[in-house]
Amino acid sequence: MSVYTPQTIEEAVELLATHPDAMLLSGGTDFMVEVNFNHRKPTEVVSTKAINELKVWDVDHSSHTVFIGAGVTYSTIEATEIAEVVPALAEASRTVGSPQIRAAGTLGGNLGTCSPAGDTLPVLAALEARIVIASPGSHREVAFADFMVGAKKNSLRSGEMVVGVSLPIVRGWQGYAKVGVRNAMVISIASACLVRDDVDDSVKVALGSVGPTIIRAHDAEAWWKDQTVPRSKEMFAEFGARCALEAKPITDHRSTADYRRHAVKVLCARLAARSSSR
Ligand SMILES: Cc1cc2nc3c(=O)[nH]c(=O)nc-3n(C[C@H](O)[C@H](O)[C@H](O)COP(=O)(O)OP(=O)(O)OC[C@H]3O[C@@H](n4cnc5c(N)ncnc54)[C@H](O)[C@@H]3O)c2cc1C
């Protein structure tokens, strides 16, 4: 196996373009599991480890945006100013694996794998993140909704890699919650992120592990906006039920479709209630 260790993004994408079979390796927490189980047999690997440009993050209060490099780990997201300005992303990061996985695993790797159970992905969907992508000599940006195109499928083209993610700093409450078979070291059975914007009291909700892609509960969001009565317990329950109607869960080795739908209902009602109890 040939392992390349480029120092810059440009070198990395040149390598990907000239070695079409080469696979990107970041923290290796997904990649190496696949290699160990013989699901992936790489002959050429491009490691991102030495690319410092991918490990940067920046909070820009004047433009109300945060940029997080693809090589930023979960433990960095949890422990820096990122956690203050995008708290839902920090909450999601805290639920990933163990401290060892969070020290190695990266945001770019979560996007590379693009599993519907990826914990950061509902947050990126609810915040309408833009994914910054590099290829030799150019950069492009896509909305998260156009980036994730199926279960473990993203819209990266040959020779491209994720450079980072651009997120808005929203004035209002945001939170992430997930259900699994235990409290830690668990892949979600269902997850949800809710972002409430104080400016117009709108909400954005994204659901994980209940469809081939992350699902935005657009109908429930619109219903929330139409409500003129004061927010109440009944309203949160109704909102949760409406979010569950938009889930497209399946039954698999982790859970049943019915339980997943029920979990979405409970998670979304709770997130809505928390958003109102500030
Ligand atoms: C024990 C264990 C527990 C886990 N628990 C969770 C969990 O609770 N929640 C969760 O979401 N995940 C979990 N994971 C999965 C994994 O940790 C995450 O998906 C992590 O974000 C992967 O990042 P990485 O840097 O290790 O990526 P890698 O394993 O290096 O790469 C993953 C994929 O992304 C591609 N890739 C890497 N970098 C880029 C880039 N810059 N641009 C484009 N493609 C890229 C790779 O080619 C590969 O296909 C767990 C894994 C393990 C082993």
Side-chain angles (χ1 to χ4, degrees):
M1 190 202 299
S2 308
V3 178
Y4 303 99
T5 50
Q7 311 281 309
T8 64
I9 293 167
E10 198 52 39
E11 279 172 37
V13 287
E14 287 290 346
L15 279 163
L16 291 174
T18 50
H19 298 75
D21 292 333
M23 294 175 184
L24 271 174
L25 172 71
S26 288
T29 59
D30 276 328
F31 188 104
M32 292 312 298
V33 173
E34 295 206 353
V35 171
N36 289 342
F37 281 103
N38 274 329
H39 296 154
R40 202 189 267 240
K41 294 181 178 125
T43 51
E44 294 179 296
V45 171
V46 175
S47 166
T48 64
K49 206 172 182 67
I51 309 178
N52 290 331
E53 291 167 272
L54 290 177
K55 297 171 192 161
V56 299
W57 55 271
D58 179 51
V59 177
D60 185 344
H61 288 284
S62 56
S63 65
H64 306 287
T65 54
V66 188
F67 176 81
I68 307 175
V72 171
T73 61
Y74 296 111
S75 38
T76 299
I77 294 171
E78 285 177 80
T80 57
E81 194 188 353
I82 299 171
E84 287 162 36
V85 292
V86 205
L89 192 64
E91 274 185 69
S93 299
R94 278 184 207 113
T95 74
V96 172
S98 60
Q100 294 88 337
I101 297 294
R102 295 197 289 276
T106 62
L107 189 57
N110 219 214
L111 283 161
T113 298
C114 235
S115 160
D119 279 306
T120 65
L121 307 187
V123 182
L124 302 186
L127 284 167
E128 299 183 339
R130 307 230 11 120
I131 314 301
V132 185
I133 294 167
S135 57
S138 75
H139 275 64
R140 68 183 177 104
E141 268 187 39
V142 290
F144 176 80
D146 297 322
F147 180 81
M148 187 175 192
V149 291
K152 298 203 170 178
K153 284 198 186 84
N154 60 43
S155 56
L156 283 178
R157 301 172 193 145
S158 171
E160 289 188 328
M161 69 185 284
V162 176
V163 169
V165 167
S166 176
L167 294 158
I169 300 175
V170 179
R171 189 146 53 96
W173 188 90
Q174 53 183 257
Y176 176 78
K178 101 185 194 190
V179 171
V181 290
R182 52 180 182 258
N183 278 341
M185 280 291 285
V186 70
I187 300 295
S188 72
I189 282 172
S191 64
C193 175
L194 184 145
V195 176
R196 190 159 165 185
D197 193 326
D198 279 350
V199 176
D200 57 1
D201 194 27
S202 61
V203 292
K204 294 194 175 84
V205 188
L207 314 174
S209 287
V210 288
T213 60
I214 304 303
I215 294 171
R216 272 288 290 282
H218 287 296
D219 292 346
E221 292 173 7
W223 177 84
W224 176 281
K225 206 161 182 149
D226 286 346
Q227 301 311 299
T228 47
V229 290
R231 310 296 179 196
S232 64
K233 210 172 149 191
E234 292 69 31
M235 186 182 161
F236 304 140
E238 173 70 20
F239 176 73
R242 285 173 180 271
C243 288
L245 287 177
E246 294 182 67
K248 295 177 190 144
I250 54 162
T251 296
D252 64 9
H253 62 289
R254 287 208 184 93
S255 184
T256 63
D258 282 349
Y259 181 74
R260 285 191 155 107
R261 200 180 286 286
H262 174 73
V264 167
K265 182 173 142 186
V266 174
L267 289 176
C268 291
R270 277 188 198 157
L271 288 170
R274 280 180 208 157
S275 79
S276 301
S277 63
R278 288 170 282 159

